[in-house]
């Protein structure tokens, strides 16, 4: 994926960010849509803005494209202050959520539209249009009008049109929102390929966490106008910093409790839901007596009918629900405290229903490693 | 249920009859050989020939057409600008007020519009010396102001149903606002503008009341001429003239309606195709 070939610019301290969003706030009269956001995006990244509906993703993107101006703060692109530059003078192009193809122009004219402002000869212009149509595999549709295309084809015309000007930054607002699941997956890889081929910095807005995880080098998780966490997909998934991020990305079991004791690298947390103590890896800032929450991903909990050899972080419960998804199964296990735990298990052995790890109403043992759990403080 | 639908159907027929029989009989009697308007004397087209030889009528018709073309053109330009301001400049101060002002002439009694325009022209003549006399210029101005409202309303509703991101996309691709206007906005609303022009044209062509207030000696439009002649009794040549006007006006309105219908259909089809494609 893209992570390797950008060389993790965000971890190299000397690298200048390509896009710098500096303490940007956007108010619509009294309503704060984007709240004091600061963000650095590096050259060649495929950066995702992820968040629920109405959290301000589009507003932030529109401030990069110039359609909204920040109430406070500055926006820099490639070392230039863009805050008061109008959209038609920014080295940035946008792919609109509705695609916004010009209905009175053919595919070719749509893709070539932005080029008439460039200093190109006619032949160069035609060349570029052809090149773009080849890139999105639409050459045979050059003469069609947008209403004669399918949704997926329109999406690709919109992409080609936005790429034709070879912008420094390409903004994509929910680029796959209108496509069905199969086409979505296919197009995700296509977008990643195109990004690698062109080397253009992509900023993608999405509310689909899987899409953000597959597509991007880094993700910023937004919530009510605030950026909660920025990081690589792995960081966001395995090391969420807040309950919100842990909950928003994937599914997770959370047990509230109090820190009872700490050693050099572990903490012991008393959890009422777990009916006992959980031992977890800790970072520096945990103190005895603190209220915390222990979070464990469903696939990091083991499930078996036999009691595990180690009794650390093990507990017995009863299967009350079982979901079979083919490649994996989801077990919902009720603990003695009547708390529910979700456990995922890959079906790595071929077998009939009766050969499953556990059935409804079975007594099972759950267990997880101290390193599998995340200690969350808020 | 059956009873009720029969009743409704007869009411409908009666309504249509009430409306169209006079027009149809007028058209039929325009081909009447007899000089008497109410007695059928055989088929003839001589009244049409007489009509085209009558200099007074030809002059009035020419004047009417000139006024209609010029005022429709100005009304379309100004009305389009007003419609755009109303639909696009979202929250300027007093927008609702301005919006109301633009559509007010649509429901204002024509007599009021006529009187107020007359007063304005008298005032302007006294203090600015222009327009010097009432006549061609004043009637054209009056028709423009009146028809402008119709155009503005048509354009406004077309723009409100148009996706703003089309204009944003053009701007994003490097077009300055005026280029966006010519490359994207105007081509897309062109059918609505043509419909507006045709509507303004027909409104101007058959207006009597406002014209009566704002015209002066020597500037007699066709409807005013007919109005004057009818006072002396309906003659078959008036029937012939009216038939031609009916024809011109119905072509204009029909074309305007067709254009609006077609762009509406096209949009529906586009939306449907988009939905179907995403299935
Ligand atoms: N022009 C505007 N005037 C007033 N409020 C606005 C305007 N644009 C956006 N908002 C508000 O700002 C908030 C953020 O909107 P935004 O469009 O950025 O959300 P989003 O994260 O893109 O959501 P979605 O996933 O639904 O597209 C919303 O509550 C919205 O109502
Ligand atoms: Mg949005």
């Amino acid at each position: 994926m893209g992570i390797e070939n950008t060389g993790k610019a965000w971890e190299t301290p000397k690298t200048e960010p390509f896009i710098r969003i500096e303490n940007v706030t956007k108010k619509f009269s009294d309503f704060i849509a984007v709240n004091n956001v600061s963000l650095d995006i590096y050259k060649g990244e495929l950066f995702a803005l992820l968040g629920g509906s109405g959290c301000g993703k589009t507003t932030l993107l529109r401030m990069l494209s110039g359609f909204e101006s920040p109430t406070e703060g500055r926006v820099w692109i490639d070392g230039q202050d863009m805050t008061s530059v109008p959209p038609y003078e920014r080295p940035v192009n946008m792919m609109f959520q509705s695609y916004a193809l010009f209905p009175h122009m053919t595919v070719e004219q749509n893709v070539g539209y932005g080029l008439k402002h460039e200093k190109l000869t006619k032949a160069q212009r035609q060349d570029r249009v052809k090149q773009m149509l080849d890139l999105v595999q639409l050459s045979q549709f050059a003469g069609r009008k947008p209403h004669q295309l399918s949704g997926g084809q329109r999406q690709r015309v919109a992409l080609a049109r936005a790429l034709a000007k070879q912008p420094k930054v390409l903004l994509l607002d929910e680029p796959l929102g209108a496509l069905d699941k199969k086409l979505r997956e296919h197009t995700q890889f296509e977008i990643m390929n195109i990004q690698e081929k062109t080397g253009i910095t992509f900023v993608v807005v999405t509310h689909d966490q899987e899409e953000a995880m597959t597509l991007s080098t880094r993700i910023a998780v937004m919530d009510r106008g605030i950026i909660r966490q920025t990081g690589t997909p792995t960081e966001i998934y395995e090391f969420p910093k807040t309950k919100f991020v842990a909950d928003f990305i994937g599914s997770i079991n959370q047990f509230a409790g109090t820190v009872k004791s700490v050693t050099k690298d572990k903490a012991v947390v008393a959890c009422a839901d777990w009916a006992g103590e959980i031992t977890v890896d800790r970072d520096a800032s945990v103190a005895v007596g603190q209220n915390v929450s222990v979070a464990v991903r469903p696939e990091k909990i083991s499930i078996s009918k036999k009691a595990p050899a180690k009794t650390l972080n093990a507990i017995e419960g009863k299967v009350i629900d079982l979901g079979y998804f083919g490649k994996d199964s989801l077990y919902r296990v009720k603990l003695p405290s009547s708390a529910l735990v979700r456990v995922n298990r890959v079906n790595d052995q071929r077998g009939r229903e009766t050969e499953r790890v556990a059935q409804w109403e079975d007594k099972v043992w759950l267990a997880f490693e101290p390193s599998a759990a995340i200690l969350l403080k808020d | 249920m059956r009873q009720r639908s029969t009743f409704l159907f007869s009411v409908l027929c009666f309504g249509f009859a009430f409306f169209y029989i006079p027009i149809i009989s007028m058209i039929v009697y325009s081909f009447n050989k007899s000089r008497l308007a109410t007695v059928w004397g055989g088929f003839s087209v001589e009244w049409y020939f007489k009509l085209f030889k009558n200099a007074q009528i030809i002059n009035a018709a020419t004047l009417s057409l000139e006024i209609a073309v010029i005022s429709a053109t100005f009304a379309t330009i100004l009305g389009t600008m007003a419609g755009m301001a109303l639909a696009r400049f979202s929250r300027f101060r007093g927008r609702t007020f301005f919006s109301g002002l633009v559509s007010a002439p649509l429901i204002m009694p024509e007599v009021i519009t006529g009187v107020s325009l007359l007063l304005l022209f008298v005032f302007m003549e006294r203090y600015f010396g222009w327009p010097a006399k009432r006549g061609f210029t004043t009637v054209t101005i009056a028709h423009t102001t009146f028809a402008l409202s119709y155009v503005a309303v048509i354009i406004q509703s077309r723009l409100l149903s148009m996706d703003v991101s089309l204009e944003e996309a053009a701007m994003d691709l490097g077009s300055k606002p005026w280029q966006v206007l010519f490359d994207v906005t105007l081509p897309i609303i062109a059918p609505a503008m043509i419909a507006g022009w045709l509507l303004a044209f027909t409104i101007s062509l058959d207006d009597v009341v406002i014209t009566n207030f704002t015209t002066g000696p020597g500037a007699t439009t066709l409807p005013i001429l007919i109005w004057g002649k009818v006072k002396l009794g309906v003659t078959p040549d008036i029937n012939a003239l009216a038939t031609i006007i009916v024809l011109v006006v119905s072509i204009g309105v029909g074309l305007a309606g067709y254009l609006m219908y077609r762009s509406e259909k096209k949009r529906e089809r586009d939306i449907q195709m988009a939905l179907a494609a995403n299935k």
Side-chain angles (χ1 to χ4, degrees):
Chain A
M1 247 158 267
I3 303 169
E4 286 83 13
N5 55 37
T6 52
K8 300 203 178 185
W10 54 91
E11 284 180 350
T12 321
K14 283 249 179 64
T15 330
E16 275 291 307
F18 198 60
I19 302 171
R20 165 159 264 171
I21 298 170
E22 227 175 52
N23 303 100
V24 164
T25 295
K26 177 70 188 178
K27 289 185 190 156
F28 293 110
S29 55
D30 290 341
F31 180 77
I32 303 175
V34 171
N35 194 351
N36 196 19
V37 163
S38 293
L39 203 59
D40 288 343
I41 299 173
Y42 295 87
K43 199 173 170 67
E45 271 201 86
L46 210 167
F47 193 92
L49 290 171
L50 176 64
S53 188
C55 70
K57 307 178 297 279
T58 300
T59 308
L60 190 57
L61 204 68
R62 286 171 66 83
M63 286 192 279
L64 287 176
S65 58
F67 293 118
E68 305 282 359
S69 52
T71 315
E72 280 160 42
R74 331 235 87 217
V75 173
W76 304 76
I77 294 173
D78 198 12
Q80 278 180 300
D81 186 353
M82 286 284 151
T83 317
S84 49
V85 176
Y88 46 86
E89 282 169 11
R90 296 195 183 198
V92 168
N93 284 130
M94 176 136 158
M95 199 189 120
F96 288 78
Q97 188 165 7
S98 59
Y99 306 151
L101 299 179
F102 307 127
H104 57 296
M105 297 185 196
T106 62
V107 167
E108 206 167 7
Q109 288 166 332
N110 263 287
V111 174
Y113 181 80
L115 296 178
K116 66 175 205 171
H117 304 293
E118 315 260 290
K119 286 191 189 68
L120 294 174
T121 65
K122 201 172 168 215
Q124 281 173 319
R125 207 170 299 154
Q126 283 172 340
D127 239 34
R128 185 87 69 82
V129 171
K130 202 181 153 298
Q131 198 185 324
M132 286 302 134
L133 289 177
D134 283 344
L135 187 68
V136 296
Q137 297 152 29
L138 278 179
S139 306
Q140 72 268 42
F141 298 111
R144 292 219 191 159
K145 290 275 183 71
H147 67 83
Q148 296 166 317
L149 299 175
S150 77
Q153 290 164 342
R154 280 184 216 185
Q155 190 266 355
R156 282 184 280 155
V157 177
L159 186 61
R161 186 179 68 178
L163 283 169
K165 290 192 65 151
Q166 301 179 336
K168 290 181 177 170
V169 177
L170 184 74
L171 308 172
L172 303 100
D173 194 354
E174 307 262 356
L176 312 176
L179 306 181
D180 67 36
K181 199 161 180 290
K182 270 259 162 63
L183 196 54
R184 248 178 127 102
E185 269 174 23
H186 175 76
T187 316
Q188 275 173 10
F189 288 106
E190 220 169 55
I191 287 184
M192 283 159 68
N193 271 337
I194 288 174
Q195 197 272 333
E196 268 172 39
K197 263 190 226 164
T198 55
I200 294 171
T201 308
F202 279 32
V203 181
V204 183
V205 157
T206 176
H207 63 260
D208 180 335
Q209 39 133 329
E210 271 182 39
E211 188 174 301
M213 305 272 286
T214 22
L215 271 180
S216 49
T217 53
R218 284 193 307 151
I219 300 172
V221 181
M222 279 187 87
D223 171 39
R224 278 169 291 167
I226 298 169
I227 293 198
R228 294 286 176 185
Q229 191 174 345
T230 310
T232 62
T234 318
E235 278 168 5
I236 298 272
Y237 187 78
E238 305 287 7
F239 304 95
K241 289 205 181 100
T242 60
K243 282 184 192 171
F244 175 83
V245 176
D247 243 352
F248 189 78
I249 311 286
S251 78
I252 202 158
N253 298 295
Q254 294 201 26
F255 311 103
T258 319
V259 179
K260 268 188 73 181
S261 63
V262 294
T263 60
K264 190 161 95 324
D265 60 346
K266 300 266 189 294
V268 177
V269 182
C271 292
D273 284 344
W274 196 257
E277 289 168 358
I278 301 179
T279 307
V280 300
D281 284 4
R282 73 173 192 114
D283 59 19
S285 57
V286 184
V288 174
Q290 202 173 15
N291 286 330
V292 293
S293 151
V294 177
V296 196
R297 298 273 180 207
E299 73 276 10
K300 298 201 167 61
I301 302 179
S302 68
I303 179 168
S304 70
K305 283 201 203 153
K306 278 188 291 184
K310 284 195 294 180
T311 54
L312 187 69
N313 297 343
I315 195 168
E316 198 170 22
K318 194 168 76 177
V319 176
I320 59 156
D321 234 340
L322 198 165
Y324 176 72
F325 302 120
K327 70 175 195 302
D328 59 354
S329 298
L330 178 71
Y331 298 87
R332 292 214 301 160
V333 179
K334 198 170 186 177
L335 301 185
S337 66
S338 84
L340 286 179
V341 182
R342 297 155 63 90
V343 180
N344 244 117
R345 205 188 124 97
V346 178
N347 297 321
D348 51 4
Q349 302 288 319
R350 192 156 158 257
R352 311 219 165 264
E353 281 99 330
T354 49
E355 294 164 59
R356 275 191 202 136
V357 171
Q359 294 294 339
W360 277 271
E361 304 296 322
D362 277 354
K363 292 262 189 194
V364 289
W365 280 91
L366 305 181
F368 58 89
E369 291 295 320
S371 61
I374 307 154
L375 207 54
L376 296 170
K377 270 158 280 178
D378 61 1
Chain B
M1 200 59 218
R2 172 110 206 103
Q3 289 264 286
R4 194 157 144 246
S5 66
T6 323
F7 173 70
L8 282 178
F9 187 69
S10 14
V11 170
L12 184 74
C13 286
F14 182 74
F16 274 129
F18 196 75
F19 198 70
Y20 283 106
I21 285 181
I23 295 177
I24 292 166
S25 72
M26 181 197 77
I27 292 173
V28 171
Y29 273 94
S30 73
F31 297 104
N32 188 1
K33 202 173 201 146
S34 159
R35 180 155 257 299
L36 293 164
T38 46
V39 184
W40 183 254
F43 181 85
S44 131
V45 289
E46 67 169 288
W47 300 113
Y48 285 89
F49 281 106
K50 285 233 171 87
L51 209 58
F52 288 114
K53 281 194 213 117
N54 186 333
Q56 197 191 15
I57 286 178
I58 294 299
N59 285 343
T62 318
L63 182 73
S64 271
L65 283 175
E66 275 172 11
I67 291 174
V69 168
I70 295 174
S71 69
T73 307
F74 277 113
T76 305
I77 295 170
L78 295 172
T80 303
M81 281 155 64
M84 279 183 182
L86 290 177
R88 282 292 182 259
F89 305 153
S90 46
R91 280 178 304 255
F92 63 88
R93 273 177 86 81
R95 174 166 178 264
T96 327
F97 181 64
F98 185 56
S99 181
L101 279 189
V102 164
S103 46
L106 302 183
I107 44 168
M108 188 91 79
E110 280 191 58
V111 180
I112 308 287
T113 313
V115 170
S116 53
L117 280 168
L118 174 63
L119 290 176
L120 174 75
F121 291 138
V122 170
F123 175 88
M124 279 171 66
E125 187 182 352
R126 172 147 353 131
Y127 290 99
F128 303 117
W130 184 89
K133 279 200 311 275
R134 256 149 282 133
F136 179 82
T137 316
T138 50
V139 174
T140 309
I141 294 174
H143 285 189
T144 304
T145 41
F146 182 58
L148 183 160
S149 306
Y150 288 85
V151 180
V153 169
I154 291 175
I155 295 293
Q156 186 189 2
S157 77
R158 178 67 191 93
L159 281 174
L160 287 178
S161 67
M162 176 181 155
D163 188 0
V164 186
S165 57
L166 287 175
E167 287 162 352
E168 288 181 344
M171 203 182 277
D172 185 65
L173 290 165
S175 294
K176 296 190 175 61
W178 65 268
Q179 289 167 319
V180 175
L181 180 72
F182 284 100
D183 289 350
V184 176
T185 318
L186 289 182
I188 290 175
I189 65 169
M193 285 173 69
I194 296 172
W197 190 91
L198 287 168
L199 207 60
F201 177 82
T202 43
I203 289 168
S204 163
L205 204 61
D206 71 1
D207 180 75
V208 177
V209 180
I210 291 175
T211 313
N212 222 336
F213 277 105
T214 51
T215 191
T220 310
T221 64
L222 205 53
I224 301 273
L225 183 78
I226 296 172
W227 177 253
K229 275 173 164 285
V230 167
K231 277 192 240 167
L232 310 171
V234 181
T235 49
D237 59 340
I238 296 294
N239 280 340
L241 186 56
T243 302
I244 293 175
I245 293 177
V246 165
L247 198 72
V248 171
V249 169
S250 13
I251 289 175
V253 172
L255 214 58
Y258 172 71
L259 281 171
M260 284 197 274
Y261 170 79
R262 205 184 56 170
S263 62
E264 189 66 31
K265 268 270 120 86
K266 202 170 141 204
R267 215 173 51 247
E268 267 172 27
R269 195 188 57 193
D270 283 0
I271 290 168
Q272 231 139 51
M273 289 213 29
L275 289 179
N278 291 332
K279 277 278 147 58

